[in-house]
């Protein structure tokens, strides 16, 4: 449990430090510069920025901080590992809000615009469709929202807290990072996540027992819990009569050429098997089967943004614009703060295409605009905006343009088109391969994109951009050695006149790939090349410091500084004594900590031996820490003059 909650540092620790900084200021309304930063760097709407700033200010005032200005913002939200999780645990806001606060504090623009949590409208309508009253449906959505958006602040050591902790780990499906799990929950009370939570709480019980468990865990009324369970567990045991055997449906004559049927997906298939089935069905052009499998995967793994993106892509191919837009909306909400701009822009572009297919020009334009703001080179979004802005005058014979009075493309009905081929045509050109790879990457299908880029590099071994893209994908997939090989070939194709910024980006990818492969020595050398090419590259500069080989033993200056820092405290252990007292300290090389310390001599060493005074001083000296070093251990002596 301690490891699980290691990031839940109370806000008091931060606030106490900030009181020193802000205690002298009079109580004022929070600085408007904070809101401006949230709008500019956090990519928030002005109203959302104002509400978030006031919420943080109220929380800080509870702990004595009188003013939430830019200085307080920077001091309270420093970057670092699990910074967003620390933020949400301390201040009770969502991960998206914490992303905006961190971006505002560091003045590093967020890749993905701020999105408010899901309002639960889809879940509320699903509950009412299944027979729940409006009041029970609203109670269920409200309770689930409070539970999900309150994580991790609502975790305690009681049974309910432990139950929520288990749900948090299981329902996002396959996300081992606690920050990623929280991010999936902070999307809000979606129908897929709700079904997962209820199934875990009461999936193996009869319906009444499941409702009791749900009511206790989510603090729901009994009637609302029963409605929730009735919707999420329609097949829960109520077996007064055995269910009649299911008769197979009569065979349906296929329309068009026959498609080979694949293996049947078992009802309890794990996520990996469902994903493999969905991808196989999609590649075989069995789009309804692929859509059904991807939809099941989103229920099994509600935090899996790639599953939602794949579902949207299949629905779009089927012509279901509204369904595709719904799936891509969920994919957008699951984009991490560190998502590559090309990936984030690609998802927004597909969202725009889905809305456009559904006839919703307003939302399509908004999505295309977001894509262009993230990545100005996104051609799909640019083309979409051009289509939406094109004039729609009357067409031939007085008909309207693209959308006539009788619907899209009024006129004679289109002739039925044969289904697209199962496999791509033989012998694709280099341009076709790269276009397919880029499309797969934008859709989040990274293994497929890597395979296609690999084929492109085989066709053109001198294509540096293809090798660079392949290296980035291999690195994203965790394949360190393969990423190293790709980046090395990309660097080998650089012409002598290549811009330093381009060379620096390739060496940065090479360095990160070496580090992923476990070769810190080569990673350190590559990071040094990046700094030589681009001195302003903070990632490389920080990594050079982080990976600098440690010395054989700590430098003398470091030892003197560490011992001097505790000198006054050591003196306090020997009140009224004067003279020299000498200590012997042994350090461990792997982390620079002291493993042993003792009084080794001095003017009054014999007098204090075995006394609380000696124990006091030894405990202080043993608490010092120095930088790590390569020798297994070292022992030194240090005298204090009292």
């Amino acid at each position: 449990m301690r490891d699980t909650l290691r990031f839940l540092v109370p806000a008091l620790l931060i606030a106490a430090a900030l009181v020193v900084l802000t205690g002298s200021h009079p109580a004022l309304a929070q600085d408007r510069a904070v809101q401006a930063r949230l709008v500019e760097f956090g990519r928030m709407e002005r109203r959302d920025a104002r509400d978030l700033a006031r919420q943080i200010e109220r929380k800080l005032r509870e702990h004595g901080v009188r003013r939430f200005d830019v200085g307080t913002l920077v001091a309270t939200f420093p970057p670092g590992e699990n910074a967003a999780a620390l933020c949400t645990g301390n201040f009770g806001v969502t991960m998206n809000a914490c992303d905006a606060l961190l971006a505002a504090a560091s003045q590093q623009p967020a890749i993905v615009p701020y999105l408010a949590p899901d309002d639960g409208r889809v879940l509320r309508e699903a509950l009412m469709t299944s027979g729940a009253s409006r009041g029970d449906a609203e109670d269920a959505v409200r309770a689930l929202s409070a539970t999900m958006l309150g994580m991790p602040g609502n975790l305690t050591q009681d049974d309910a807290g432990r139950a929520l902790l288990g749900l948090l780990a299981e329902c996002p499906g396959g996300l081992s990072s606690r920050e990623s799990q929280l991010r999936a929950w902070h999307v809000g009370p979606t129908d897929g996540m709700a079904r997962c939570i209820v199934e875990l709480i009461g999936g193996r019980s009869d319906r009444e027992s499941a409702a009791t468990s749900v009511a206790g865990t989510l603090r729901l009324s009994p009637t609302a819990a029963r409605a929730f369970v009735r919707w999420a567990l329609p097949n829960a045991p109520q077996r007064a009569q055995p269910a009649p055997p299911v008769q197979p449906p009569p065979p349906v004559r296929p329309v068009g050429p026959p498609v080979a049927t694949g293996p049947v997906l078992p009802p309890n298939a794990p996520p990996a098997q469902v994903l493999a089935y969905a991808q196989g069905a999609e590649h075989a052009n069995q789009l309804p089967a692929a859509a059904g499998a991807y939809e099941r995967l989103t229920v099994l793994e509600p935090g899996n943004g790639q599953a939602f993106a794949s579902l949207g892509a299949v629905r779009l191919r089927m012509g279901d614009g509204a369904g595709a837009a719904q799936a891509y909306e969920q994919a957008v909400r699951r984009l991490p703060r560190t998502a590559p701009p090309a990936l984030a822009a690609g998802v927004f572009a597909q969202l725009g295409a889905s809305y456009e297919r559904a006839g919703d020009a307003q939302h399509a334009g908004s999505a295309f605009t977001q894509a262009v703001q993230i990545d100005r080179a996104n051609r799909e979004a640019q083309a979409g905006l051009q289509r939406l802005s094109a004039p729609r005058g009357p067409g031939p014979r007085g008909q309207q343009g693209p959308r006539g009075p009788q619907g899209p493309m009024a006129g004679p009905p289109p002739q039925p088109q044969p289904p697209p081929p199962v496999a791509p045509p033989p012998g694709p050109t280099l341009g076709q391969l790269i276009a397919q790879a880029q499309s797969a990457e934008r859709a989040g299908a990274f293994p497929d994109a890597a395979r296609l880029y690999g084929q492109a590099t085989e066709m053109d071994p001198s294509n540096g951009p293809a090798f660079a893209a392949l290296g980035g994908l291999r690195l994203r997939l965790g394949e360190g050695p393969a990423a190293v090989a790709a980046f090395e070939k990309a660097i080998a194709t650089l012409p002598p006149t290549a811009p330093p910024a381009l060379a620096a980006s390739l060496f940065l990818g090479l360095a990160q790939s070496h580090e992923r492969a476990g070769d810190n020595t080569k990673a350190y050398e590559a990071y040094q090349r990046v700094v030589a090419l681009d001195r302003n590259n903070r990632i490389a500069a920080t990594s050079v410091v982080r990976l600098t080989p440690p010395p054989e033993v700590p430098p003398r200056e470091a030892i003197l500084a560490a011992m001097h820092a505790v000198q006054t405290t050591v003196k306090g252990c020997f009140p009224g004594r004067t003279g020299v007292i000498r200590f012997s300290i042994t350090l461990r090389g792997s982390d620079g900590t002291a493993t042993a310390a003792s009084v080794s001599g001095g003017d009054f060493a014999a007098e204090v031996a075995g006394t609380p005074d000696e124990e006091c001083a030894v405990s202080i000296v043993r608490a010092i820490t120095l930088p790590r070093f390569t020798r297994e251990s070292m022992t030194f002596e240090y005298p204090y003059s009292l």
Side-chain angles (χ1 to χ4, degrees):
M1 179 67 72
R2 182 175 300 171
D3 290 341
T4 302
L5 303 179
R6 63 185 180 279
F7 53 79
L8 303 183
V9 180
L12 286 170
L13 297 179
I14 297 175
L18 295 178
V19 171
V20 178
L21 300 175
T22 60
S24 60
H25 294 287
L28 298 171
Q30 101 281 335
D31 198 322
R32 290 187 179 180
V34 173
Q35 295 182 33
R37 281 202 184 193
L38 288 170
V39 172
E40 179 180 359
F41 300 104
R43 302 191 64 182
M44 300 184 75
E45 296 292 335
R46 190 166 300 279
R47 172 183 286 184
D48 292 333
R50 181 193 62 207
D51 293 344
L52 177 60
R54 290 178 176 176
Q55 185 175 355
I56 298 299
E57 182 183 42
R58 285 195 297 269
K59 190 71 173 180
L60 290 173
R61 283 184 174 179
E62 292 175 4
H63 300 289
V65 181
R66 299 181 181 179
R67 185 180 180 188
F68 184 37
D69 55 14
V70 169
T72 310
L73 171 74
V74 174
T76 309
F77 301 100
E81 184 178 2
N82 290 325
L86 279 166
C87 162
T88 189
N90 291 334
F91 294 98
V93 296
T94 65
M95 294 291 278
N96 277 349
C98 286
D99 288 343
L101 288 163
L102 290 164
S106 64
Q107 298 189 75
Q108 296 294 318
I111 297 296
V112 181
Y114 169 80
L115 290 172
D118 193 296
D119 61 5
R121 182 176 61 253
V122 174
L123 175 59
R124 186 182 300 107
E125 292 175 354
L127 289 170
M128 294 173 63
T129 301
S130 70
S133 67
R134 176 176 293 277
D136 285 342
E138 290 179 350
D139 286 347
V141 171
R142 190 181 303 113
L144 187 61
S145 179
T147 299
M148 296 175 69
L149 303 183
M151 298 289 280
N154 56 14
L155 287 179
T156 62
Q157 296 291 336
D158 58 16
D159 291 340
R162 282 185 284 271
L164 290 176
L165 199 60
L167 295 174
L168 179 67
E170 291 293 332
C171 271
L175 299 177
S176 57
S177 163
R178 181 65 72 202
E179 182 165 342
S180 298
Q181 293 171 0
L182 285 171
R183 193 175 297 281
W185 272 49
H186 283 191
V187 168
T190 62
D191 53 345
M193 185 70 87
R195 194 181 298 276
C196 177
I197 290 173
V198 176
E199 286 177 349
L200 279 177
I201 295 175
R204 296 184 179 180
S205 308
D206 60 82
R207 189 173 295 179
E208 192 62 31
S209 300
T212 302
S213 300
V214 169
T217 304
L218 302 182
R219 295 177 171 84
L220 268 176
S221 68
T223 56
R226 291 190 193 99
F228 213 166
V229 169
R230 185 169 60 249
W231 164 77
L233 304 174
N235 299 321
Q238 288 224 352
R239 300 174 181 171
Q241 296 180 353
V246 178
Q247 299 296 329
V252 178
R253 184 177 179 179
V255 178
V259 179
T261 58
V264 177
L265 186 62
N268 298 322
Q273 185 177 355
V274 176
L275 175 60
Y277 179 92
Q279 291 175 336
E282 183 179 2
H283 292 160
N285 205 40
Q286 298 175 347
L287 300 184
Y294 280 128
E295 191 167 1
R296 188 193 297 189
L297 184 61
T298 63
V299 175
L300 293 173
E301 297 185 346
N304 190 335
Q306 182 176 337
F308 281 101
S310 299
L311 175 60
V314 171
R315 286 177 173 173
L316 192 56
R317 287 177 60 186
M318 296 170 64
D320 180 8
Q326 183 181 5
Y328 276 119
E329 284 283 7
Q330 297 301 325
V332 164
R333 290 181 177 277
R334 287 155 177 78
L335 281 170
R337 176 172 175 256
T338 55
L343 171 62
V347 178
F348 272 103
Q350 293 300 308
L351 175 62
S354 302
Y355 275 125
E356 187 179 9
R357 175 67 62 86
D360 189 340
Q362 180 179 356
H363 284 93
S366 176
F368 285 139
T369 301
Q370 291 285 10
V372 172
Q373 288 177 350
I374 295 171
D375 181 7
R376 295 186 180 276
N378 189 286
R379 295 182 179 178
E380 287 81 0
Q382 292 174 351
L385 288 174
Q386 290 176 357
R387 288 194 303 272
L388 293 176
S389 61
R392 298 185 178 182
R397 299 181 184 178
Q399 294 178 357
Q400 296 297 315
R403 305 186 66 82
Q406 297 178 2
M409 301 299 293
Q415 297 298 318
Q417 298 294 322
V422 172
T429 65
L430 178 64
Q432 289 173 336
L433 279 174
I434 292 179
Q436 292 171 14
Q438 291 172 338
S439 177
E441 184 176 5
R442 284 192 292 269
F446 301 139
D448 288 342
R451 174 178 54 79
L452 291 165
Y453 275 123
Q455 294 176 10
T457 59
E458 292 174 2
M459 184 176 294
D460 180 9
S462 64
N463 193 316
F467 276 113
L470 177 60
L473 285 164
R474 294 297 185 199
L475 180 60
R476 187 177 297 158
L477 292 168
E479 302 170 6
V484 167
F487 276 116
E488 285 179 340
K489 292 180 180 178
I491 291 171
T493 64
L494 279 174
T497 57
L502 172 60
S505 67
L506 294 181
F507 274 105
L508 180 61
L510 177 63
Q512 293 171 331
S513 302
H514 275 308
E515 192 169 0
R516 175 62 62 86
D519 193 337
N520 287 345
T521 300
K522 290 185 177 179
Y524 174 72
E525 295 171 355
Y527 281 126
Q528 285 184 311
R529 292 292 302 273
V530 178
V531 174
L533 291 163
D534 180 8
R535 294 187 178 277
N536 295 322
N537 193 302
R538 292 192 295 175
I539 296 176
T542 303
S543 299
V544 166
V545 174
R546 177 170 53 84
L547 296 178
T548 298
E552 181 184 5
V553 295
R556 181 174 181 273
E557 293 76 13
I559 295 176
L560 293 177
M563 298 303 292
H564 180 73
V566 298
Q567 181 172 354
T568 302
T569 313
V570 170
K571 285 183 178 180
C573 294
F574 303 110
R577 294 187 181 275
T578 59
V580 174
I581 187 76
R582 185 179 298 105
F583 293 90
S584 175
I585 301 102
T586 300
L587 300 175
R588 181 168 53 211
S590 60
D591 56 9
T593 60
T595 59
S598 62
V599 174
S600 59
D603 296 336
F604 51 87
E607 300 174 24
V608 299
T611 66
D613 291 352
E614 180 189 40
E615 182 179 350
C616 167
V618 167
S619 66
I620 293 170
V621 171
R622 187 169 179 174
I624 68 166
T625 300
L626 278 84
R628 62 190 181 93
F629 50 94
T630 58
R631 189 183 294 180
E632 182 177 354
S633 65
M634 69 164 290
T635 300
F636 68 92
E637 292 201 351
Y638 188 90
Y640 280 121
S641 179
L642 308 181

